[in-house]
């Protein structure tokens, strides 16, 4: 992997990887996984000023109110990225900040950490069909899940070549699935 051969790096937010990538591939744009960015908001929710349903038992009312808050803030954060126009994304992010900042200041502050890196995919000339694949690390995580599943089925590989063959076959199958989903059959 070199700066010349790598148009974009997509990462989930791990700090160690970020430092390593910047020291070795400092000129390559970084894409922070949008899925992980949104998902991490939930880790910072404080659930202040919840609207509780008075007809429910207190514990159930709190549980439902927290669930509704989490669902609403994550949905609103997802809407920030429902366009591929940089200025619109930034404008939607500011609406998100204004809407949720007073109720969930820590979650909103966390959302804006590395926010610009969630827009890295907009700086690279990729076919539009690939945008959904390069905005997140989901495809790579799916591939790793398939490798782990197959390895559990097989048990121990008998040779390095056997392991490479399994990786090749799974990579070929997953690539074919993605091409079919995107209408890019060879």
């Amino acid at each position: 992997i070199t700066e010349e051969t790598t148009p974009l790096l997509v990462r989930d937010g791990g700090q160690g990887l970020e430092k390593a990538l910047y020291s070795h591939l400092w000129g390559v744009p970084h894409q922070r996984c949008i899925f992980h960015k949104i998902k991490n908001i939930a880790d910072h929710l404080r659930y202040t000023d919840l609207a509780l349903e008075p007809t429910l038992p207190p514990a159930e009312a709190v549980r439902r109110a927290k669930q509704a808050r989490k669902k609403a803030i994550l949905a609103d954060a997802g809407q920030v990225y429902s366009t591929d126009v940089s200025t619109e994304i930034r404008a939607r992010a500011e609406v998100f900040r204004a809407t949720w900042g007073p109720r969930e200041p820590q979650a909103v502050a966390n959302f804006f950490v590395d926010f610009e890196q969630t827009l890295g995919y907009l700086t690279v000339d990729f076919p539009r069909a690939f945008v959904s694949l390069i905005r997140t690390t989901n495809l790579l995580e799916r591939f790793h899940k398939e490798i782990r599943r197959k390895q559990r089925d097989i048990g121990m590989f008998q040779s390095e070549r056997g392991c490479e063959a399994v990786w090749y076959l799974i990579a070929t199958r997953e690539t074919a699935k993605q091409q079919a989903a995107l209408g890019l059959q060879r």
Side-chain angles (χ1 to χ4, degrees):
I1 297 176
T2 67
E3 291 174 23
E4 293 78 31
T5 62
T6 309
L8 181 71
L9 296 166
V10 184
R11 62 183 186 83
D12 64 2
Q15 296 304 311
L17 180 60
E18 178 183 15
K19 290 176 184 175
L21 291 173
Y22 272 118
S23 67
H24 295 291
L25 297 167
W26 62 270
V28 177
H30 287 218
Q31 171 63 39
R32 174 75 160 75
C33 176
I34 292 171
F35 173 80
H36 284 94
K37 173 56 89 175
I38 293 169
K39 182 177 163 246
N40 288 342
I41 291 171
D43 296 340
H44 299 277
L45 293 174
R46 296 294 172 247
Y47 301 106
T48 57
D49 301 325
L50 290 173
L52 302 177
E53 176 61 45
T55 61
L56 294 173
E60 180 63 16
V62 169
R63 187 187 72 74
R64 286 192 186 181
K66 285 182 173 182
Q67 187 178 39
R69 167 78 55 90
K70 179 180 173 182
K71 183 178 180 180
I73 194 170
L74 295 179
D76 284 357
Q79 283 302 305
V80 168
Y81 298 102
S82 64
T83 180
D84 288 331
V85 179
S86 175
T87 55
E88 287 182 36
I89 291 172
R90 286 184 176 83
R92 291 175 185 197
E94 288 308 317
V95 170
F96 175 81
R97 185 191 314 261
T99 302
W100 289 103
R103 289 180 280 174
E104 293 291 352
Q106 290 178 326
V108 171
N110 179 264
F111 178 74
F112 281 95
V113 171
D114 295 337
F115 176 76
E116 287 300 314
Q117 288 184 356
T118 65
L119 307 178
Y121 73 99
L122 297 172
T123 66
V124 180
D125 185 27
F126 277 104
R128 191 136 183 89
F130 293 125
V131 167
S132 65
L133 299 176
I134 64 173
R135 294 179 352 151
T136 71
T137 58
N138 292 350
L139 185 60
L140 181 60
E141 290 174 6
R142 172 76 177 129
F143 178 76
H144 286 158
K145 183 178 180 180
E146 282 299 307
I147 291 292
R148 286 190 300 273
R149 186 185 64 76
K150 185 52 84 178
Q151 200 273 323
R152 274 193 311 272
D153 291 347
I154 294 171
M156 190 169 94
F157 291 109
Q158 298 300 314
S159 68
E160 185 176 331
R161 189 168 178 98
C163 181
E164 290 171 352
V166 169
W167 272 79
Y168 174 79
L169 291 171
I170 291 173
T172 302
R173 182 182 70 198
E174 293 302 314
T175 300
K177 284 181 189 178
Q178 290 303 318
Q179 287 176 339
L182 296 171
L184 301 173
Q185 289 292 356
R186 293 184 210 188

